Amino acid sequence: MAVLKRLNINKFTSEADNDAFIEELKQMWLAWENPSIATNISVDINKDRNDPTRMTAFVSASGTDAINAMNEWSKNVVMPIRNKYQHENIMIDADLVASVSK
Protein backbone atom coordinates (compact mmCIF):
# COMPACT_ATOMS: atom_id res chain seq x y z
CA MET A 1 0.00 0.00 0.00
CA ALA A 2 1.35 3.43 -0.98
CA VAL A 3 2.20 5.91 1.75
CA LEU A 4 1.31 9.42 0.68
CA LYS A 5 2.57 12.56 2.39
CA ARG A 6 1.26 16.09 2.22
CA LEU A 7 2.89 19.17 3.65
CA ASN A 8 0.75 22.29 4.03
CA ILE A 9 2.58 25.45 4.98
CA ASN A 10 0.47 28.44 5.97
CA LYS A 11 1.87 31.89 6.72
CA PHE A 12 -0.54 34.27 8.40
CA THR A 13 -0.29 38.02 8.83
CA SER A 14 -0.19 37.75 12.64
CA GLU A 15 0.76 35.27 15.33
CA ALA A 16 -2.74 35.62 16.80
CA ASP A 17 -4.30 34.48 13.51
CA ASN A 18 -1.85 31.58 13.33
CA ASP A 19 -2.65 30.50 16.88
CA ALA A 20 -6.39 30.80 16.25
CA PHE A 21 -6.22 28.72 13.07
CA ILE A 22 -4.04 26.05 14.74
CA GLU A 23 -6.59 25.73 17.55
CA GLU A 24 -9.49 25.51 15.11
CA LEU A 25 -7.61 22.95 12.99
CA LYS A 26 -6.93 20.75 16.04
CA GLN A 27 -10.61 20.83 16.98
CA MET A 28 -11.75 20.10 13.42
CA TRP A 29 -9.32 17.19 13.14
CA LEU A 30 -10.50 15.68 16.43
CA ALA A 31 -14.15 16.08 15.40
CA TRP A 32 -13.72 14.52 11.94
CA GLU A 33 -15.28 11.11 11.80
CA ASN A 34 -14.56 8.74 8.95
CA PRO A 35 -14.31 5.23 10.42
CA SER A 36 -13.31 3.60 7.13
CA ILE A 37 -10.00 5.48 7.05
CA ALA A 38 -9.43 6.51 10.67
CA THR A 39 -6.42 4.22 11.13
CA ASN A 40 -4.94 5.10 7.72
CA ILE A 41 -4.32 8.80 8.22
CA SER A 42 -2.52 11.04 10.67
CA VAL A 43 -1.64 14.71 10.92
CA ASP A 44 1.14 16.58 12.72
CA ILE A 45 0.40 20.26 13.31
CA ASN A 46 3.41 22.46 13.99
CA LYS A 47 4.08 26.12 14.75
CA ASP A 48 7.34 27.44 13.36
CA ARG A 49 9.85 28.24 16.12
CA ASN A 50 11.55 30.99 14.12
CA ASP A 51 8.46 32.57 12.58
CA PRO A 52 5.40 32.59 14.87
CA THR A 53 3.16 33.55 11.94
CA ARG A 54 3.89 30.28 10.10
CA MET A 55 2.53 26.79 10.71
CA THR A 56 2.70 23.43 9.00
CA ALA A 57 0.35 20.48 8.82
CA PHE A 58 2.08 17.27 7.80
CA VAL A 59 -0.38 14.57 6.71
CA SER A 60 0.52 10.89 6.25
CA ALA A 61 -1.97 8.58 4.57
CA SER A 62 -1.87 4.90 3.73
CA GLY A 63 -3.57 4.52 0.38
CA THR A 64 -5.40 6.71 -2.05
CA ASP A 65 -8.80 6.23 -0.37
CA ALA A 66 -7.49 7.90 2.79
CA ILE A 67 -5.88 10.85 1.00
CA ASN A 68 -8.94 11.33 -1.23
CA ALA A 69 -11.25 11.39 1.80
CA MET A 70 -8.94 13.85 3.54
CA ASN A 71 -8.82 16.04 0.41
CA GLU A 72 -12.61 16.19 0.26
CA TRP A 73 -12.89 16.97 3.99
CA SER A 74 -10.18 19.61 3.75
CA LYS A 75 -11.84 21.29 0.77
CA ASN A 76 -15.26 21.35 2.45
CA VAL A 77 -14.32 21.98 6.09
CA VAL A 78 -10.75 23.20 6.63
CA MET A 79 -10.27 25.61 3.74
CA PRO A 80 -13.36 27.75 4.47
CA ILE A 81 -12.14 28.20 8.06
CA ARG A 82 -8.56 28.91 7.01
CA ASN A 83 -9.74 31.43 4.43
CA LYS A 84 -11.21 33.61 7.19
CA TYR A 85 -7.62 34.64 7.88
CA GLN A 86 -5.24 36.48 5.57
CA HIS A 87 -2.61 33.93 4.64
CA GLU A 88 -0.27 32.47 2.07
CA ASN A 89 -0.37 28.72 1.45
CA ILE A 90 2.06 26.23 -0.03
CA MET A 91 0.95 22.62 -0.49
CA ILE A 92 3.37 19.84 -1.38
CA ASP A 93 2.18 16.31 -2.21
CA ALA A 94 4.68 13.46 -2.30
CA ASP A 95 5.01 9.69 -2.41
CA LEU A 96 7.17 8.32 0.38
CA VAL A 97 10.37 6.97 -1.17
CA ALA A 98 12.51 6.51 1.94
CA SER A 99 12.13 6.62 5.66
CA VAL A 100 15.47 6.90 7.42
CA SER A 101 15.93 6.62 11.15
CA LYS A 102 19.13 6.38 13.08
Side-chain angles (χ1 to χ4, degrees), residues 29-52:
W29 186 256
L30 290 171
W32 184 36
E33 293 184 19
N34 192 327
S36 64
I37 64 157
T39 60
N40 295 330
I41 197 161
S42 66
V43 66
D44 293 307
I45 301 168
N46 305 280
K47 183 175 177 180
D48 191 311
R49 295 171 122 193
N50 299 316
D51 182 350

Side-chain angles (χ1 to χ4, degrees), residues 76-96:
N76 294 323
V77 177
V78 176
M79 290 174 73
I81 299 297
R82 186 198 63 202
N83 291 341
K84 293 188 312 185
Y85 305 100
Q86 289 189 350
H87 70 282
E88 294 176 38
N89 176 261
I90 298 171
M91 184 173 69
I92 301 166
D93 284 332
D95 292 318
L96 180 64

Side-chain angles (χ1 to χ4, degrees), residues 63-81:
T64 55
D65 288 346
I67 202 79
N68 288 340
M70 193 276 310
N71 285 344
E72 201 57 34
W73 173 77
S74 180
K75 181 174 62 175
N76 294 323
V77 177
V78 176
M79 290 174 73
I81 299 297

